[in-house]
Amino acid sequence: MSVAVISKWKQGMTVDAYQRLIEAMGLTDTLPKDCESHTAGVAEDGTFIISDVWATTEAFKTFEHERLEPTIDVLNIPAPDMVTVLSLVRN
């Protein structure tokens, strides 16, 4: 079952930092394996939000541990303040 993953940063993630992160992971023109959709933007209060749909929670966790977290560490970007995983009933 597909899952939505919503990540929020109150501080520390900017458009520039996001672009550096995507470039460093080689994802400027493609999505990671098993990622069905990806959006990113800035809310009115300045919160940076990334919303993805993944084939499974396990696929997201694998990407998070093997690619996302190491790249965030190298780029000195803070981890998100909140990550919510939702089991989708409609996609």
Side-chain angles (χ1 to χ4, degrees):
M1 173 183 289
S2 294
V3 295
V5 179
I6 302 166
S7 305
K8 296 182 180 182
W9 287 259
K10 297 239 181 231
Q11 296 179 13
M13 180 63 88
T14 62
V15 172
D16 179 61
Y18 168 78
Q19 290 172 336
R20 287 186 291 115
L21 176 63
I22 294 301
E23 288 174 10
M25 290 189 295
L27 298 173
T28 54
D29 296 324
T30 189
L31 294 174
K33 181 179 185 256
D34 295 323
C35 182
E36 299 171 4
S37 70
H38 172 84
T39 59
V42 181
E44 289 180 2
D45 68 356
T47 300
F48 197 93
I49 302 171
I50 294 176
S51 177
D52 294 336
V53 175
W54 287 85
T56 64
T57 301
E58 293 76 21
F60 167 69
K61 291 293 185 186
T62 297
F63 171 78
E64 179 181 41
H65 295 299
E66 292 180 2
R67 293 185 67 191
L68 182 60
E69 289 174 347
T71 308
I72 281 177
D73 287 344
V74 167
L75 296 176
N76 200 30
I77 297 170
D81 298 301
M82 179 175 30
V83 177
T84 304
V85 179
L86 308 169
S87 295
L88 296 177
V89 296
R90 184 173 182 186
N91 180 11

